[in-house]
PDB file of all heavy atoms in Angstrom:
ATOM      1  N   ILE A  70      28.695-121.072 -10.440  1.00  0.00           N
ATOM      2  CA  ILE A  70      29.538-120.264 -11.406  1.00  0.00           C
ATOM      3  C   ILE A  70      30.892-120.946 -11.391  1.00  0.00           C
ATOM      4  O   ILE A  70      31.565-121.049 -10.409  1.00  0.00           O
ATOM      5  CB  ILE A  70      29.565-118.835 -10.879  1.00  0.00           C
ATOM      6  CG1 ILE A  70      28.216-118.253 -10.836  1.00  0.00           C
ATOM      7  CG2 ILE A  70      30.523-118.037 -11.834  1.00  0.00           C
ATOM      8  CD1 ILE A  70      28.154-116.932 -10.048  1.00  0.00           C
ATOM      9  N   VAL A  71      31.261-121.333 -12.492  1.00  0.00           N
ATOM     10  CA  VAL A  71      32.661-121.884 -12.863  1.00  0.00           C
ATOM     11  C   VAL A  71      33.473-121.019 -13.673  1.00  0.00           C
ATOM     12  O   VAL A  71      33.143-120.898 -14.921  1.00  0.00           O
ATOM     13  CB  VAL A  71      32.483-123.448 -13.464  1.00  0.00           C
ATOM     14  CG1 VAL A  71      33.807-124.006 -13.581  1.00  0.00           C
ATOM     15  CG2 VAL A  71      31.520-124.302 -12.570  1.00  0.00           C
ATOM     16  N   ASP A  72      34.410-120.326 -13.142  1.00  0.00           N
ATOM     17  CA  ASP A  72      35.190-119.485 -13.816  1.00  0.00           C
ATOM     18  C   ASP A  72      36.666-119.635 -13.579  1.00  0.00           C
ATOM     19  O   ASP A  72      37.464-118.898 -14.150  1.00  0.00           O
ATOM     20  CB  ASP A  72      34.828-118.067 -13.600  1.00  0.00           C
ATOM     21  CG  ASP A  72      34.770-117.575 -12.109  1.00  0.00           C
ATOM     22  OD1 ASP A  72      35.175-118.488 -11.213  1.00  0.00           O
ATOM     23  OD2 ASP A  72      34.440-116.479 -11.832  1.00  0.00           O
ATOM     24  N   ASN A  73      36.993-120.573 -12.787  1.00  0.00           N
ATOM     25  CA  ASN A  73      38.465-120.937 -12.589  1.00  0.00           C
ATOM     26  C   ASN A  73      38.883-121.755 -13.689  1.00  0.00           C
ATOM     27  O   ASN A  73      38.283-122.812 -14.088  1.00  0.00           O
ATOM     28  CB  ASN A  73      38.611-121.724 -11.302  1.00  0.00           C
ATOM     29  CG  ASN A  73      39.856-122.388 -10.997  1.00  0.00           C
ATOM     30  OD1 ASN A  73      40.401-123.305 -11.772  1.00  0.00           O
ATOM     31  ND2 ASN A  73      40.700-121.784 -10.084  1.00  0.00           N
ATOM     32  N   PRO A  74      40.024-121.427 -14.425  1.00  0.00           N
ATOM     33  CA  PRO A  74      40.412-122.224 -15.661  1.00  0.00           C
ATOM     34  C   PRO A  74      40.552-123.674 -15.543  1.00  0.00           C
ATOM     35  O   PRO A  74      40.042-124.469 -16.299  1.00  0.00           O
ATOM     36  CB  PRO A  74      41.779-121.466 -16.049  1.00  0.00           C
ATOM     37  CG  PRO A  74      41.628-120.055 -15.469  1.00  0.00           C
ATOM     38  CD  PRO A  74      40.837-120.323 -14.261  1.00  0.00           C
ATOM     39  N   LYS A  75      41.106-124.091 -14.305  1.00  0.00           N
ATOM     40  CA  LYS A  75      41.338-125.505 -14.124  1.00  0.00           C
ATOM     41  C   LYS A  75      40.066-126.215 -13.946  1.00  0.00           C
ATOM     42  O   LYS A  75      39.772-127.201 -14.553  1.00  0.00           O
ATOM     43  CB  LYS A  75      42.227-125.760 -12.808  1.00  0.00           C
ATOM     44  CG  LYS A  75      42.647-127.174 -12.685  1.00  0.00           C
ATOM     45  CD  LYS A  75      43.492-127.312 -11.383  1.00  0.00           C
ATOM     46  CE  LYS A  75      43.798-128.739 -11.180  1.00  0.00           C
ATOM     47  NZ  LYS A  75      44.620-128.986 -10.080  1.00  0.00           N
ATOM     48  N   CYS A  76      39.114-125.712 -13.220  1.00  0.00           N
ATOM     49  CA  CYS A  76      37.742-126.190 -13.032  1.00  0.00           C
ATOM     50  C   CYS A  76      37.022-126.224 -14.207  1.00  0.00           C
ATOM     51  O   CYS A  76      36.301-127.093 -14.625  1.00  0.00           O
ATOM     52  CB  CYS A  76      36.989-125.415 -11.889  1.00  0.00           C
ATOM     53  SG  CYS A  76      35.606-126.314 -11.253  1.00  0.00           S
ATOM     54  N   CYS A  77      37.195-125.152 -15.109  1.00  0.00           N
ATOM     55  CA  CYS A  77      36.486-125.054 -16.366  1.00  0.00           C
ATOM     56  C   CYS A  77      36.979-126.242 -17.368  1.00  0.00           C
ATOM     57  O   CYS A  77      36.046-126.790 -18.054  1.00  0.00           O
ATOM     58  CB  CYS A  77      36.729-123.688 -17.159  1.00  0.00           C
ATOM     59  SG  CYS A  77      35.753-122.401 -16.548  1.00  0.00           S
ATOM     60  N   ARG A  78      38.188-126.635 -17.278  1.00  0.00           N
ATOM     61  CA  ARG A  78      38.596-127.699 -18.029  1.00  0.00           C
ATOM     62  C   ARG A  78      37.922-128.943 -17.602  1.00  0.00           C
ATOM     63  O   ARG A  78      37.463-129.829 -18.443  1.00  0.00           O
ATOM     64  CB  ARG A  78      40.134-127.897 -17.959  1.00  0.00           C
ATOM     65  CG  ARG A  78      41.029-126.900 -18.863  1.00  0.00           C
ATOM     66  CD  ARG A  78      42.339-127.227 -19.031  1.00  0.00           C
ATOM     67  NE  ARG A  78      43.000-127.100 -17.718  1.00  0.00           N
ATOM     68  CZ  ARG A  78      43.558-125.981 -17.203  1.00  0.00           C
ATOM     69  NH1 ARG A  78      43.195-124.777 -17.803  1.00  0.00           N
ATOM     70  NH2 ARG A  78      44.103-125.983 -16.054  1.00  0.00           N
ATOM     71  N   HIS A  79      37.836-129.158 -16.357  1.00  0.00           N
ATOM     72  CA  HIS A  79      36.993-130.404 -15.816  1.00  0.00           C
ATOM     73  C   HIS A  79      35.691-130.410 -16.251  1.00  0.00           C
ATOM     74  O   HIS A  79      35.042-131.409 -16.511  1.00  0.00           O
ATOM     75  CB  HIS A  79      37.226-130.461 -14.334  1.00  0.00           C
ATOM     76  CG  HIS A  79      38.726-130.863 -13.890  1.00  0.00           C
ATOM     77  ND1 HIS A  79      39.327-131.889 -14.179  1.00  0.00           N
ATOM     78  CD2 HIS A  79      39.527-130.037 -13.123  1.00  0.00           C
ATOM     79  CE1 HIS A  79      40.530-132.036 -13.725  1.00  0.00           C
ATOM     80  NE2 HIS A  79      40.743-130.824 -12.969  1.00  0.00           N
ATOM     81  N   VAL A  80      35.002-129.205 -16.153  1.00  0.00           N
ATOM     82  CA  VAL A  80      33.662-129.140 -16.524  1.00  0.00           C
ATOM     83  C   VAL A  80      33.431-129.462 -18.033  1.00  0.00           C
ATOM     84  O   VAL A  80      32.597-130.118 -18.493  1.00  0.00           O
ATOM     85  CB  VAL A  80      33.036-127.791 -16.131  1.00  0.00           C
ATOM     86  CG1 VAL A  80      31.645-127.614 -16.771  1.00  0.00           C
ATOM     87  CG2 VAL A  80      32.923-127.660 -14.486  1.00  0.00           C
TER      88      VAL A  80
END
Side-chain angles (χ1 to χ4, degrees):
I70 301 167
V71 182
D72 56 3
N73 172 287
K75 184 178 178 183
C76 195
C77 280
R78 281 192 295 280
H79 291 297
V80 170

